[in-house]
Amino acid sequence: MSIVSPETDEASSGKLNGSSPGTFVTAGGRTNEEDIAEHFGAFLANENIITSLVLDRARRAARTTGERFDRVLTKLGLISETDLASALSRYLSIPLATAGDVPAEPVQLDMIRPDFVRRNRVLPLAIYAGMLSVGVTDPLNDEPLRALRYLTNLMISVRLFVPADFDKAYEALYVDPAAEPGLDPSASAEANEVDVQRLRDMASEAPTIRLVNQIIFSAVELRASDIHIEPNVDSVLVRYRIDGALRTAQTLTPNLRAAVTSRIKIMSRLDIAERRLPQDGRIKIAVRGIDIDFRVSTIPTVFGESVVMRILDRSRVDLDFERLGFHGTHIEALRELMAQPNGIILVTGPTGSGKTTTLYTALKGLNTSDRKLFTVEDPIEYQLAGINQVQVQPAIGLDFPHALRSILRQDPDIIMIGEIRDLETAQIAIQSSLTGHLVFSTLHTNSAAATITRLVDMGIENYLLASTVKGVLAQRLVRCLCRHCAEPHDNAEFWAAEIAKTAQPSEIRGSPRIRRPRGCAECGQSGFSGRTTIAELLLVDAGIHRMILERSSDAEIERAARSGGMSTMYESGIAKVWRGETTIEEVLQATRMVA
């Protein structure tokens, strides 16, 4: 047990005060961060708590970001807070605090105020024999202990809390459940103002700021596309969507819900007093020196406000067809479509299938000094230099049709419509095409052929579609196998035979490399890293043109397109399975061919 003496200003545990090779704290009370990474990192590796690869990654991240090594481990999700606390306990010879150590009432409440406990995360546990026992979450920071020593004139005995256990203990001792914001519907205006100010104070506290920053930075480091903060009855879940799949990053105690939500709402300039209606906002934060946009959405639920933050990291977006996963035949056909002087090119698929990124890639290739490009989007996901991008604002009457009519008076060459949502927008897109403009847009359909019948169902005349639509690209995203740990599939021969029966011969050249996921530190034990595109491209040639005029069904159109050489999304996917880029399960799930 580590003790700080009022006379000697030292600790009985050598590893805490600097008298052993594991020392982290200098004589002036400052943490020696290089020693943490060196000695404690080696301890973790020797104890098989982390691998050497994880150790090297964390040390690099600590040097790059300036963060302390042990904090980097948890922020990157390389080790849980519980495991880190247990390792520090053994390394520093400091016992872990348990629920039995938490007192029934606050200790020295008249002298040690709750705000000091919360701000410094130092919880008084007991006084005995002239000694004050305290629980801490950061044993490497001895400044609060020195403050307590001088304040109480008692020797200090230290125990180490797992952060979540500290939060539960603090809530039990110092937080009045009746003071939770919003519980009294008959509160006066004055009380509401106090409530809002309390939320602002909570959101402005250093621990809350650090926690929200840690959530955001960890998500960016793990290449997540979204952050989900979800309140439940007894916890707040923080989940990241990585490569299309949700992973639980950490679990917060309920008392942190209001503070974290308010902090995010303040950052995104939302109304923290409004907790009954959904709100949308944006944040721009520099992470690793790169400006990253976050699109923030809040919605009230039975246990509090749910927050989702879409991460828009331009540095991670490869606006290149090949890097997005399109193969040579598709790239060549897309470029031929982009060379058309007019017409409509549509990209279809569900939300989150990469439609907008594909359109941005096309616009990037068309963005030359002799062309004027406009986009109408809701919202604008990435800002593109040299392109005029318009954000629709329905609240003031600037919807898609209104914006498009105004854009047509701006003498554009190429127009990108974020989404065709209604008949009026579709009609303006058709009219723009007929008057000599090249129009790109997106639509929500399950296949390329189904797009034609969808537009007819919306009320567009079939002869207008036949005259204007040049091509329809339907796409999905599937996860890529981790290149560090993917291994040969047990049933590789069976799947190779099955794929050979179905795929186009031109798609499965060479020997099969059918693999399966295993999981390693590089991919977070998921077996996958990154995503790639599978797609089908319907070109409106003379045969398809005639079928549209004859009001043929989407099944008939698809059969005709396949006989003309079109590969379906499934065929595009199994070709990637053949090459060892993804798994058959990913393709089946993305193309909805599983029961």
Side-chain angles (χ1 to χ4, degrees):
M1 187 177 296
S2 182
I3 304 171
V4 179
S5 163
E7 290 83 12
T8 63
D9 194 23
E10 294 293 341
S12 64
S13 171
K15 288 185 178 178
L16 186 64
N17 68 19
S19 62
S20 81
T23 179
F24 295 150
V25 182
T26 66
R30 296 183 300 274
T31 302
N32 188 328
E33 298 183 6
E34 291 184 2
D35 282 351
I36 299 177
E38 181 67 26
H39 299 295
F40 183 52
F43 171 81
L44 293 174
N46 291 336
E47 293 286 311
N48 293 321
I49 298 172
I50 60 175
T51 65
S52 58
L53 289 175
V54 171
L55 175 60
D56 292 341
R57 180 185 175 193
R59 283 173 172 169
R60 287 197 304 271
R63 287 193 298 268
T64 302
T65 63
E67 279 279 2
R68 217 171 67 192
F69 171 78
D70 58 316
R71 292 173 179 164
V72 166
L73 288 170
T74 54
K75 286 185 178 181
L76 297 185
L78 303 175
I79 185 174
S80 69
E81 290 183 333
T82 301
D83 290 342
L84 177 64
S86 177
L88 281 170
S89 170
R90 297 199 305 275
Y91 186 73
L92 299 174
S93 300
I94 300 176
L96 282 172
T98 65
D101 295 319
V102 180
E105 299 291 338
V107 175
Q108 292 281 344
L109 185 60
D110 57 333
M111 187 177 298
I112 305 172
R113 305 303 302 163
D115 60 336
F116 178 89
V117 175
R118 182 182 64 249
R119 187 169 59 252
N120 295 286
R121 298 181 73 74
V122 177
L123 186 77
L125 299 175
I127 296 177
Y128 57 92
M131 184 182 304
L132 173 64
S133 175
V134 298
V136 303
T137 59
D138 184 1
L140 307 179
N141 178 16
D142 68 345
E143 291 184 3
L145 303 180
R146 294 172 184 272
L148 283 176
R149 187 200 65 188
Y150 287 115
L151 180 66
T152 63
N153 198 35
L154 296 171
M155 298 173 67
I156 306 297
S157 169
V158 178
R159 289 183 175 270
L160 181 57
F161 263 115
V162 174
D165 293 341
F166 179 94
D167 294 331
K168 291 178 182 177
Y170 176 83
E171 181 181 14
L173 289 173
Y174 297 101
V175 176
D176 180 5
E180 179 68 19
L183 290 183
D184 183 7
S186 63
S188 64
E190 181 179 355
N192 286 335
E193 182 62 31
V194 171
D195 183 33
V196 171
Q197 187 57 48
R198 176 172 173 265
L199 286 174
R200 291 187 185 279
D201 291 342
M202 291 169 60
S204 301
E205 291 174 351
T208 301
I209 294 173
R210 283 197 300 269
L211 174 60
V212 172
N213 287 345
Q214 175 255 315
I215 291 171
I216 291 173
F217 292 172
S218 295
V220 173
E221 182 69 24
L222 292 171
R223 300 178 65 84
S225 61
D226 301 86
I227 302 170
H228 293 247
I229 299 174
E230 305 168 344
N232 292 301
V233 62
D234 57 356
S235 64
V236 179
L237 281 182
V238 178
R239 302 200 289 171
Y240 298 153
R241 189 174 294 279
I242 301 172
D243 297 333
L246 280 172
R247 300 184 197 173
T248 299
Q250 56 183 298
T251 303
L252 308 178
T253 55
N255 64 296
L256 292 173
R257 174 187 56 78
V260 169
T261 302
S262 298
R263 176 62 187 167
I264 294 171
K265 291 171 77 173
I266 288 173
M267 293 170 70
S268 50
R269 298 181 180 178
L270 300 179
D271 183 2
I272 65 171
E274 179 55 76
R275 283 161 279 172
R276 301 166 300 169
L277 296 173
Q279 297 187 67
D280 296 303
R282 292 183 81 100
I283 307 172
K284 178 174 282 189
I285 303 174
V287 180
R288 305 188 312 272
I290 299 171
D291 285 338
I292 297 177
D293 286 321
F294 296 81
R295 199 167 72 220
V296 180
S297 171
T298 70
I299 190 169
T301 71
V302 67
F303 298 118
E305 288 178 285
S306 173
V307 180
V308 175
M309 304 171 69
R310 168 66 58 88
I311 303 174
L312 305 173
D313 184 355
R314 174 68 189 277
S315 67
R316 283 168 32 195
V317 178
D318 292 320
L319 298 182
D320 179 273
F321 286 126
E322 188 172 356
R323 292 181 180 176
L324 292 178
F326 292 97
H327 59 69
T329 306
H330 281 161
I331 295 173
E332 182 180 346
L334 284 170
R335 286 178 177 156
E336 288 181 5
L337 288 174
M338 291 161 54
Q340 297 286 330
N342 54 61
I344 298 177
I345 301 168
L346 296 170
V347 181
T348 76
T351 300
S353 60
K355 302 186 298 296
T356 303
T357 302
T358 298
L359 289 183
Y360 280 164
T361 303
L363 292 181
K364 179 186 175 184
L366 293 167
N367 185 18
T368 57
S369 59
D370 60 337
R371 294 189 179 105
K372 185 162 187 175
L373 283 72
F374 267 95
T375 73
V376 188
E377 304 173 66
D378 182 24
I380 296 173
E381 294 198 6
Y382 300 101
Q383 296 178 0
L384 304 175
I387 298 177
N388 302 280
Q389 296 175 266
V390 178
Q391 166 75 56
V392 301
Q393 300 184 57
I396 60 173
L398 184 62
D399 53 14
F400 276 104
H402 188 178
L404 285 169
R405 292 191 193 96
S406 300
I407 284 172
L408 289 174
R409 294 192 287 270
Q410 291 279 315
D411 189 27
D413 295 297
I414 298 169
I415 302 170
M416 192 270 270
I417 305 170
E419 182 185 345
I420 294 178
R421 298 177 177 176
D422 50 44
L423 176 60
E424 189 175 8
T425 303
Q427 289 173 332
I428 297 175
I430 294 284
Q431 188 62 38
S432 301
S433 171
L434 292 173
T435 53
H437 302 91
L438 185 61
V439 179
F440 294 86
S441 190
T442 71
L443 204 64
H444 290 288
T445 60
N446 289 329
S447 67
T451 304
I452 304 299
T453 53
R454 170 81 176 101
L455 289 169
V456 170
D457 290 343
M458 288 176 67
I460 300 296
E461 296 293 340
N462 59 330
Y463 67 88
L464 290 176
L465 288 177
S467 302
T468 56
V469 176
K470 303 297 183 184
V472 181
L473 177 74
Q475 67 177 66
R476 301 288 189 276
L477 294 177
V478 295
R479 292 185 291 175
C480 296
L481 283 163
C482 174
R483 60 187 178 87
H484 297 281
C485 66
E487 59 187 11
H489 200 289
D490 291 340
N491 298 319
E493 292 184 5
F494 167 80
W495 284 115
E498 291 296 310
I499 291 172
K501 295 176 187 176
T502 309
Q504 300 278 2
S506 60
E507 298 282 350
I508 54 172
R509 295 170 181 163
S511 300
R513 294 184 65 239
I514 300 174
R515 302 187 296 169
R516 67 177 186 180
R518 187 179 67 196
C520 65
E522 292 292 329
C523 60
Q525 305 301 326
S526 69
F528 297 93
S529 179
R531 288 191 288 178
T532 187
T533 306
I534 60 173
E536 61 187 31
L537 180 57
L538 172 67
L539 299 175
V540 181
D541 56 17
I544 302 299
H545 182 280
R546 184 177 61 256
M547 297 185 75
I548 295 175
L549 291 176
E550 294 171 353
R551 296 182 180 272
S552 300
S553 68
D554 51 353
E556 293 170 328
I557 292 174
E558 181 170 314
R559 280 196 297 269
R562 291 194 66 190
S563 65
M566 182 188 84
S567 298
T568 64
M569 270 188 293
Y570 173 71
E571 292 168 341
S572 172
I574 59 175
K576 291 180 183 287
V577 175
W578 180 277
R579 296 192 293 270
E581 298 174 23
T582 187
T583 67
I584 188 68
E585 292 80 11
E586 281 290 304
V587 174
L588 292 173
Q589 181 176 352
T591 54
R592 295 178 172 85
M593 295 187 67
V594 288

